[in-house]
Each structure stands twice: as C-alpha cells, then as structure tokens.
Amino acid sequence: MKRLHFLFAIISALVLTTCAEDERDTDFINNAPAPSNVSLLFEVTSDNSGLVSMTPSAEGATSFEIFFDSNSETSVTLEPGETVDNVYEEGTYTVRTVATAVNGKTSEAEQSLVVSFQPPQNVQVTIENDGSVSNTVRVNATADFGINYTVDFGEEGDEDVVSANIGEEIVYLYDAPGFYDITVTVFSAAIENVQIVEEDFEVTAILAPLTAAPTPTVPPADVIAIYSDSYDPIVTNEFPTAWSDSGFEEIQIDGNNTIQYGDLAFTGIVTDYANPTDLTTMEFVHFDYWTTEATTLGFKMVNTILDPAQEDIVELEEVVQDEWVSVDIPLDDFDMDRSQVTQLLFDALGNTATVFIDNLYFYRESTSFFFNDGLATNGNFQDGSTGWIVGVDDNAPAPVTSQAGNIFYSVDVENPGQPFSVNMSQKLEIIEGETYTLSFEAWSNVNRSIIAGIGLSGGSFANTSETVNITPTVTRYTLELAANGFGAPDARILFDVGAEAGIVNIDNVSLRRVVPNDLVTNGDFENGSDSWLIGVDDNSAAPVATLNGDTFYNVEVTNPDPGQPFLVNVSQKLEIIEGETYTLTFDAWSNVSRSIIAGIGLSGGSFANTSETVDINTEITTYSLTLTADGFGAPDARILFDLNAEAGIVNIDNVTLAINQ
C-alpha cells in the first residue's frame, strides 16, 4: 500500500570491491554528507506498563544511538530498521537520537516523550483531502498525554494500520476516489485509548490542474510559438481541425489560458497550408501537459506539401499524472522534412483521456546570447535593416522580415534578370590585397543560386564573389575571398540574388580578415577541439560549443581559485622562437564581467611565459596583445588561456598568432 506517513531511512548499499590491480576511488564516501531528517517513531503499549517501542530513521544513516533520556548516559545502538523497547515511569522525557553515516559523520535530534497512565484527553483529529493531489488524504491527531496514534483508512484489501507520533501528519494515497470509513485510535500509556471513526469520508480526485503551467523562459527570438500566453503565436488555420477525435475547450487556470482536450484520441492543428511553417532553424518542440487519465501520449508533425506527404510521431517514454509536466523533444527525433510543416497532432496512441495542454512552441538554444559578426555590423539583423541597404543606395534599407522574434533579410524574386537587379549590401572598409572570410546562413523556398562576395560600392564595382547554391534547408556557407586589385573605406559585402526566381533569406552574416602567416591551427574552432588541449595534456580535448553555426571554446568555471588560475586552461602547442615578438588576437566573452589570462609560454619545465590579464564581459570583443618571448622558446611551446581565477562562463573564438614583422 502507498504510505508517506513516516519516512524510514533510505539505505544505500555501499559495496566496496578492491583488488591488487585496481585501487578504487573512495572520495565519494569521504564526501558523503551527515545524516538528515533524524527522527524516532514511538509506539506505546496501552497496559499501564510504560513500555514504549522506538524505531529510528534518517536519510544516509548506517547506525543509530538512542539515549532514552537526556539526563542519562545509558544508550543502545541500532541498525537501520531495528526497534528498541524501554519501560518508562510516568513523566516527561527528552529522547535523543544520534545518527551516524558510513564515514562517521553524525547528526542528532531530540524529541519529547510524555508518559502518562491517564487516557488521552482533549483529542483533536483532522481528516482532509490533500487539495492538490488526487485520492490523497491527510490526517493529524493531537491529545494531552498522547504518545502515538494509528489510522485504519478503510480501504478494502489493506488491513494494515498506519502509525505516527502524536502531532505528526500521516499522508495516504487511495487507489480510487470514493467513500471510506476512517478509524483513528489515539494511545497514551494507559490501558484506555480513544477511538474516533469518520464514516463515509469522501476521498476526491483532482480532475483539473489548480495552478497554471510553468512560465516559459526561452527568449522570444528563439521561439516559433503555436499556443502560449508568453509568446505571440503564429497564425493557424485550424485549431482544432474538423477531423480531430477529441473535445476542445479553452479554459483559464490561475489566470492563464489553457487547452482542455476531452476524451482525447487524437487532435490536430493546421498551421497554414499556403504558408507552411519552416522549423529547420529550431531544435526542440516544447509543451506542458497535465492529466489524471492518460497513460500514453505522442506528438506528431506532418509535411503535406511533399508528395507523398511525410510525417513522424514521437511517443513519450512515460506519462506522469496529477501534475504539470514539461516536455522537450529534439526535432532530430522526427524522421521527416521539417522545412514545410503544416499539421501538428497530439495522439493518445489507442487510448482516450482528458489532457490539458499549454505552451506549445518550437525553440532553439538561445541565439540571443551572442552573435559574432566580426567586421560586419548587425550581422544577425536583430536591429532590423541597420547597416544593410539595397544596392549601394544609402537611403534604401534592405527588406527584412521577422519570424517568431527572429529577424532576417528576406526578398521574393518574382521577375528574375540580372543578378545585381536584386541586391543587398553593407558598406565597410576592405583593404586591398587582404583576404577575408565571409560566412552566412541562407535558405529559400526552392533550390536556386545566389552570388555572395566583397567588392567596391562604385566606380568599376570590382569584386571577388562566388555563386552559392541554396535550398529550403537553412545552411551556413563560408567563402574565402581575396581583395585582389581593389579596396576602399566604403567597399561592401554584397549579395546579388536577382538571377533566379524564388524567395531568398539571409541571416547571421560575418566577415573576418584572414591574418597572414597565422601560426594557429583551427583558430576558429570550426574543426571542434582539433589541436586545442586542456592544459598541456596531449590526450585531452578542449570543450567547445556551437551556436548560430559557429563553433567556439566554451567552459564554465564553478569553483574559482585566484591563486591557481591555470586549473582551468585551454592551450595549443606550437613553436615559439625565443626573442621574437608576436601578436595574439582572439575574441572572448562571458555571461558576467570577469578576467582571464592570455599569453604564450612553455608547455613544460619552468612553464615560463609572457601573458596579460584581460577583462571580458557579455559583449563579444576582439582583443589584441603584443607578447615577446623573453628568455624562453621551444618547438612545443604554446598559446595559453588561464581561466580559473574567477567564476563564470568563458567563450573564446578566432584565435590568431603571428610574428611581428
């Protein structure tokens, strides 16, 4: 039977295996906390003898020492689950329990015990439904001279009674709602006890949530919402569909709009057949559900634009009842084309049940935290058209659109002609003879091509550009472009998109100058951890993260030590020539304002180095240090970043190192 009335100790069996060849780490034992929730359960024998049975409990305890009275040094030692008896004369006693963990740490608790040969008096019993959990009843009993009480909850098939100390609450979960006779018996040390019977007590089920679903925290810029008070949902044509097999009602719970699907077998939502929803930039689908009945539940997506249509459903591994549950399903779990989704379905998978749904939306890991646009301005278009123009006209802002808070360049080429007839540009300085890396995301409603590059904004319009084939899938493209024979303070990034019909969407544009004679391998981390180490361990791999298609070093310092900043480190081994002067450049940012140490030095021996402390913050910033290898040099020296002096996340990207000429 289901009882929550008294918490007996949860005992973890610790099996320690040792052998000559394998010495195990036992720090987990040494670091185990002291026992918690130390308590005694009293059960008195009602025969005027003063015999009281005591059962100790605690979380994380392996033994107990019971002192029958605080004035006595006499004690008894018990193992978890054991009970001890003691005979008391009439009086008031303070019983002390000392609980000991496997590593010797202790906790203790004192409880008052009143032993009287008078029957319980002034008995007060409360019996009530939990109010927030179905079929759950709470009972408490108080009485003068009372020691403990028992409850027979009257559920057929369970003849056991539940015991608790006087004044402590018993919580009981019934199998089903209904009417039950509940018997409460209160004991003192006297022969007489007091029994109270509550006949036909109605145990109730909670049929609807009493509180609203959790409030979402994902930034709106990273969300495509279908239903939620927290976001502006996209337009839906059918909600629910005519072919849904369920009831539908929008209700308010604690002031929050919520969907109630009654007798849900399956129910559908049509977004827009004429303008299908592109989910290729999203990573997860989220929804909150609450049910008392459902045992199975699945979520389906359908692309009806394709012929034949594509669909896939993901079933929840477990359906939890009587509480709000937040679900986040990776969209990669759906084996289908997600670029033109038109239908969404909840399916009870062969059953019917009432299910409450809220906060149905798609999202991606936050892109609002940063975007590294390098030499460009407003490369993620979150400031609208700022910095972006049509052609070379400074008074013609480039067209942008917003989808679920994310803003990007978007144009529909209806009458194709010359490639430059439809164009987007950003003016900025391009230095003649330098090489640049241009990266961007692009997608369309069809398979088509665009031209991307760098060039002049007047005169000969000289440029270096490439043709890029784009598709309906959001894809990141990276081009290396040399400014051969041209350069100007008002040159430009250019996208010529007028040669073919179809929508062109462009987002997250970045332009960076390629450092000549760069000594660093994989300085932009686009090959992940390649060549980057933790400390000087050649077998380690530095942690990286990917956001907006850009990969960078990423670590969170949680236990800082200003005296040992090198305990969290990222390095790359390379040759440093003694006496040479180098320029180290890198981008860095954090979730807080904090400092890091950056430099060059040896990877062994004296670890001699030249380094500087750099203050970073939440804004991505490019830093440039001039460092001389005074008194050290080696073929396996290194670039180093020591990060452990302060707490917070550290992100590093686009690292270059070059000898000063």
Side-chain angles (χ1 to χ4, degrees):
M1 183 42 63
K2 298 77 58 180
R3 297 180 182 84
L4 308 175
H5 65 288
F6 189 81
L7 295 177
F8 284 94
I10 300 173
I11 309 301
S12 297
L14 301 176
V15 181
L16 304 180
T17 304
T18 60
C19 61
E21 297 80 17
D22 186 11
E23 185 175 328
R24 304 284 177 147
D25 183 3
T26 59
D27 286 346
F28 73 99
I29 296 177
N30 298 329
N31 296 329
S36 59
N37 297 323
V38 181
S39 183
L40 273 179
L41 173 64
F42 299 122
E43 292 183 295
V44 66
T45 302
S46 297
D47 58 1
N48 286 342
S49 68
L51 178 62
V52 179
S53 298
M54 289 166 276
T55 305
S57 70
E59 296 178 21
T62 57
S63 66
F64 300 91
E65 188 176 11
I66 311 300
F67 295 85
F68 299 128
D69 183 22
S70 60
N71 296 323
S72 172
E73 295 299 324
T74 303
S75 65
V76 62
T77 300
L78 302 178
E79 293 183 357
E82 291 185 332
T83 297
V84 64
D85 295 337
N86 191 61
V87 177
Y88 288 92
E89 296 181 357
E90 281 192 302
T92 300
Y93 301 88
T94 300
V95 184
R96 185 160 62 101
T97 305
V98 179
T100 303
V102 66
N103 55 12
K105 295 180 181 178
T106 61
S107 299
E108 64 179 69
E110 293 184 342
Q111 293 172 251
S112 180
L113 173 65
V114 178
V115 178
S116 174
F117 298 138
Q118 298 186 59
Q121 298 177 16
N122 300 321
V123 176
Q124 300 290 327
V125 174
T126 58
I127 303 174
E128 58 187 8
N129 283 284
D130 178 86
S132 60
V133 182
S134 290
N135 308 333
T136 301
V137 172
R138 295 178 176 270
V139 178
N140 203 340
T142 60
D144 295 339
F145 312 124
I147 293 178
N148 70 290
Y149 71 101
T150 62
V151 182
D152 181 346
F153 285 91
E155 189 169 28
E156 186 176 350
D158 180 23
E159 306 302 327
D160 293 338
V161 296
V162 186
S163 181
N165 295 331
I166 202 74
E168 294 182 356
E169 188 176 57
I170 295 174
V171 182
Y172 186 87
L173 174 62
Y174 283 87
D175 283 331
F179 293 89
Y180 298 88
D181 294 338
I182 300 176
T183 303
V184 179
T185 306
V186 181
F187 300 89
S188 69
I191 294 175
E192 300 89 352
N193 54 53
V194 176
Q195 188 173 88
I196 295 175
V197 179
E198 180 80 15
E199 295 182 345
D200 291 331
F201 180 84
E202 184 179 7
V203 177
T204 59
I206 307 300
L207 301 178
L210 303 178
T211 59
T215 302
T217 59
V218 181
D222 302 309
V223 170
I224 295 177
I226 306 300
Y227 184 90
S228 177
D229 283 355
S230 297
Y231 304 108
D232 293 327
I234 64 172
V235 174
T236 53
N237 293 159
E238 300 180 48
F239 197 162
T241 62
W243 40 262
S244 294
D245 188 1
S246 72
F248 176 90
E249 182 179 3
E250 185 177 49
I251 62 174
Q252 281 211 339
I253 298 175
D254 201 18
N256 189 65
N257 290 311
T258 307
I259 300 169
Q260 177 179 338
Y261 290 118
D263 295 324
L264 169 68
F266 60 87
T267 185
I269 301 168
V270 171
T271 56
D272 188 344
Y273 288 123
N275 184 28
T277 304
D278 183 359
L279 297 177
T280 54
T281 62
M282 299 292 106
E283 297 173 337
F284 301 91
V285 59
H286 173 96
F287 59 88
D288 298 300
Y289 75 85
W290 192 102
T291 184
T292 62
E293 303 173 298
T295 57
T296 53
L297 187 64
F299 183 78
K300 180 187 288 187
M301 298 194 304
V302 185
N303 180 335
T304 61
I305 303 301
L306 297 177
D307 187 15
Q310 289 188 6
E311 65 179 49
D312 198 11
I313 187 169
V314 173
E315 179 180 354
L316 304 189
E317 292 183 0
E318 178 186 14
V319 175
V320 178
Q321 298 179 343
D322 298 316
E323 63 182 72
W324 279 111
V325 179
S326 295
V327 176
D328 296 275
I329 304 173
L331 292 183
D332 284 344
D333 288 357
F334 295 86
D335 185 16
M336 58 175 291
D337 185 323
R338 303 195 304 270
S339 66
Q340 302 177 90
V341 174
T342 53
Q343 295 178 0
L344 309 170
L345 293 88
F346 289 101
D347 195 326
L349 301 170
N351 300 300
T352 58
T354 295
V355 179
F356 298 83
I357 296 289
D358 197 5
N359 299 320
L360 172 59
Y361 58 86
F362 300 90
Y363 72 98
R364 59 188 170 191
E365 296 291 350
S366 180
T367 59
S368 302
F369 181 53
F370 101 103
F371 176 69
N372 187 357
D373 49 15
L375 300 174
T377 300
N378 187 33
N380 60 0
F381 297 90
Q382 292 309 292
D383 289 333
S385 299
T386 300
W388 296 99
I389 57 178
V390 175
V392 294
D393 184 353
D394 294 331
N395 297 313
V400 297
T401 191
S402 176
Q403 185 179 81
N406 183 43
I407 304 173
F408 51 91
Y409 170 80
S410 182
V411 67
D412 189 359
V413 180
E414 298 179 340
N415 300 299
Q418 295 289 344
F420 54 81
S421 64
V422 181
N423 167 279
M424 176 179 69
S425 296
Q426 178 173 131
K427 292 182 181 179
L428 75 179
E429 183 177 20
I430 297 293
I431 300 172
E432 183 175 356
E434 296 285 0
T435 300
Y436 296 83
T437 297
L438 174 64
S439 63
F440 56 93
E441 292 174 359
W443 67 103
S444 177
N445 61 331
V446 295
N447 293 327
R448 56 153 296 167
S449 67
I450 63 174
I451 295 173
I454 55 175
L456 299 181
S457 61
S460 67
F461 289 98
N463 66 82
T464 301
S465 59
E466 293 186 17
T467 298
V468 177
N469 295 316
I470 66 174
T471 70
T473 300
V474 178
T475 304
R476 189 159 195 85
Y477 303 91
T478 299
L479 312 178
E480 187 166 294
L481 307 165
N484 291 330
F486 64 89
D490 63 345
R492 59 175 177 150
I493 300 169
L494 63 92
F495 294 95
D496 290 338
V497 301
E500 299 179 42
I503 295 172
V504 174
N505 303 304
I506 296 173
D507 200 1
N508 297 320
V509 182
S510 173
L511 184 71
R512 303 195 65 85
R513 186 175 68 89
V514 176
V515 176
N517 304 313
D518 182 16
L519 302 174
V520 178
T521 301
N522 188 35
D524 59 5
F525 296 89
E526 293 310 298
N527 289 327
S529 299
D530 178 32
S531 300
W532 291 100
L533 311 174
I534 298 173
V536 294
D537 183 359
D538 293 331
N539 296 315
S540 67
V544 298
T546 300
L547 192 62
N548 288 333
D550 183 30
T551 302
F552 49 91
Y553 171 80
N554 169 264
V555 72
E556 182 171 10
V557 179
T558 56
N559 297 297
D561 184 348
Q564 301 186 87
F566 52 83
L567 290 183
V568 178
N569 166 279
V570 59
S571 295
Q572 180 174 135
K573 292 182 180 179
L574 42 68
E575 184 177 18
I576 297 292
I577 301 172
E578 184 176 353
E580 291 286 0
T581 299
Y582 296 82
T583 297
L584 173 65
T585 63
F586 58 93
D587 296 337
W589 67 104
S590 177
N591 61 332
V592 295
S593 294
R594 55 152 298 166
S595 67
I596 64 174
I597 295 173
I600 55 176
L602 299 182
S603 61
S606 67
F607 290 97
N609 66 83
T610 301
S611 58
E612 293 186 18
T613 298
V614 177
D615 294 323
I616 67 174
N617 54 43
T618 57
E619 297 296 325
I620 184 163
T621 305
T622 301
Y623 301 90
S624 181
L625 309 180
T626 300
L627 307 166
T628 301
D630 285 332
F632 64 88
D636 63 345
R638 59 175 178 149
I639 298 170
L640 63 92
F641 296 93
D642 290 338
L643 315 170
N644 194 55
E646 299 181 41
I649 295 171
V650 176
N651 304 301
I652 297 173
D653 199 5
N654 299 309
V655 184
T656 67
L657 184 72
I659 298 177
N660 290 359
Q661 301 299 319

